Amino acid sequence: MTSADAVFAWLGVGALLAAVLPRILAGRPLSLPLVFLLCGIGVYLLPLPLPVIDPVDDRVVAEHVTEVVVIISLMGAGLALNRPVGWHRWGATWRLLGVTMPSTFLITGLVAWWLLDWPPAAALLLGAVLAPTDPVLAAEVRVGEPTDDEHDEDEVRFALTSEAGLNDGLAFPLTYAAVALAAAAGSGWSAGWIGPWAAQDLAYKCAVGVLGGLLAGRLLGWLFFRTRSRALRLSQHREGFVALGATFLSYGVTELAGGYGFLAVFVTACAIRGAERAHGYQNVLHDFMEQVERLLTAAVLFLLGAFIALGGLSALTWQGAVTACVVLLVIRPLSGWAGLLRSSLGSRERWVVAAYGVRGIGSLYYLAYALGQHGFAVPERELWAVVTFTVLASVVLHGVTAGPVIARLDRLRDTQSM
């Protein structure tokens, strides 16, 4: 048996499991990502002729693989949201983005600087890559399929899904801040980079990302639902793969224009969703993207498990493990709670939203991307070990607890509404 034969066999098994497991695991304290992560660890502990998985040496491959998964998950998240974008409708989202995300970034950076004794740039990089959330890895905290009722979403699922859709794009300015500091000051402090960063990486690229997403989404929405030509009105043909075309078009054009493609993809999805909320084609697009996302997410988590089995955590120190636990158990919950103060969420819902800021594939992407831009005076394997352990701990913690916690919250909500 050759290595290629084994890869094909495991690809087949993985694809079938990705289709079957969601229904088997429904309502149980176990998630699809956790199963594939454990499978990756288990398979690579066996004496089989499998290829070596090492995102440190194969950084470019890791960057682009995770990049594709993130943009597909962003399109899926945007297409699932029923609620039109608005200041009050999305109140919890803006609070999480404006308070929770930057405070998580800064406090995580301070903890890494103090506890890990990393230089400021590396500490800020850790804060940046662990700032975005990823409810793809805990499906129970995501909204469901699109419907024509904008009130058909509970606040917890909506807040976590919309937050993840936007903060995966807004983590780019934070990552660029760490890169700029590393380039300007090496292992010390410097403020000279702040002005150019604020003008270019924060203001300009975010604006281009939002505008590019709006233009792409409205153009595609018109093409899907309103053009007079039946041949061009794609909603008449119900082809789900069109969502992939929309994803890559929005991302690629915005990146070429110098904006944040991640932000553009989510905005594009929201604009397409708003073009015709009651049309059944929305479900076709969403279902196709969800299937692709599930398959790719399962593959990446399997590979992450393989990396762990091959020694990916060998460079992890006890300080790095403590930092990861502090991020998941202290920094994110308290930052989330602070951001949601005086929001419309009840106390119980506020704690659930605060606690379930899942760390996932976006963190792996941002780390791989940043390490390709500049050095950070910290061994790359140590950086990868801390981030990998954080994702591992998040997948285990949130994957096991999300189902029971959300189910209890739903029961309490139903009881109160009776």
Side-chain angles (χ1 to χ4, degrees), residues 303-333:
L303 295 175
L304 184 65
F307 174 57
I308 293 171
L310 293 173
L313 299 181
S314 59
L316 182 69
T317 63
W318 70 265
Q319 294 96 330
V322 169
T323 300
C325 294
V326 168
V327 170
L328 297 177
L329 300 176
V330 180
I331 297 175
R332 162 65 194 202

Side-chain angles (χ1 to χ4, degrees), residues 69-357:
V69 178
V70 171
I71 61 175
I72 286 175
S73 69
L74 290 175
M75 178 60 71
L79 290 173
L81 293 172
N82 298 321
R83 198 175 305 184
V85 179
W87 183 251
H88 294 293
R89 293 189 187 100
W90 287 46
T93 309
W94 308 134
R95 291 169 180 271
L96 289 168
L97 295 174
V99 177
T100 300
M101 186 177 185
S103 60
T104 300
F105 163 64
L106 291 173
I107 297 172
T108 301
L110 287 173
V111 170
W113 180 50
W114 171 70
L115 186 58
L116 295 172
D117 196 27
W118 285 359
L124 283 182
L125 176 63
L126 186 66
V129 303
L130 295 182
T133 58
D134 188 358
V136 170
L137 301 188
E140 291 81 3
V141 301
R142 296 182 62 186
V143 298
E145 293 186 350
T147 69
D148 57 0
D149 182 3
E150 67 177 76
H151 303 293
D152 192 27
E153 295 165 335
D154 66 85
E155 287 294 332
V156 170
R157 290 182 175 89
F158 175 81
L160 287 169
T161 304
S162 56
E163 177 202 12
L166 285 168
N167 72 11
D168 259 333
L170 294 175
F172 250 121
L174 306 182
T175 304
Y176 276 122
V179 172
L181 178 58
S187 61
W189 290 104
S190 172
W193 57 272
I194 296 178
W197 168 81
Q200 177 72 14
D201 298 324
L202 182 60
Y204 174 77
K205 291 187 176 183
C206 283
V208 173
V210 173
L211 291 175
L214 280 174
L215 289 173
R218 290 181 177 177
L219 174 62
L220 291 168
W222 171 82
L223 185 65
F224 290 173
F225 302 106
R226 295 194 174 93
T227 180
R228 295 182 179 181
S229 171
R230 182 177 176 82
L232 295 178
R233 197 183 315 127
L234 296 175
S235 60
Q236 298 293 321
H237 307 287
R238 306 184 69 81
E239 294 170 331
F241 70 85
V242 169
L244 278 179
T247 302
F248 294 138
L249 176 66
S250 173
Y251 183 76
V253 170
T254 303
E255 287 287 327
L256 288 173
Y260 291 131
F262 283 6
L263 193 57
V265 169
F266 183 73
V267 173
T268 295
C270 291
I272 293 173
R273 184 73 183 93
E276 189 65 53
R277 294 190 177 277
H279 201 290
Y281 189 52
Q282 298 281 2
N283 295 82
V284 174
L285 296 173
H286 171 267
D287 291 347
F288 181 85
M289 294 304 289
E290 184 180 43
Q291 291 172 14
V292 176
E293 174 191 309
R294 189 193 309 164
L295 186 61
L296 293 179
T297 300
V300 170
L301 266 295
F302 181 89
L303 295 175
L304 184 65
F307 174 57
I308 293 171
L310 293 173
L313 299 181
S314 59
L316 182 69
T317 63
W318 70 265
Q319 294 96 330
V322 169
T323 300
C325 294
V326 168
V327 170
L328 297 177
L329 300 176
V330 180
I331 297 175
R332 162 65 194 202
L334 293 182
S335 297
W337 175 264
L340 294 171
L341 284 173
R342 298 184 180 179
S343 69
S344 60
L345 278 75
S347 177
R348 188 183 296 111
E349 293 176 320
R350 194 179 308 158
W351 273 120
V352 173
V353 173
Y356 281 89

Side-chain angles (χ1 to χ4, degrees), residues 59 63 172 175-176 364-374:
R59 185 201 60 79
E63 176 187 338
F172 250 121
T175 304
Y176 276 122
L364 303 176
Y365 167 77
Y366 280 112
L367 179 60
Y369 178 85
L371 291 177
Q373 304 301 306
H374 204 278

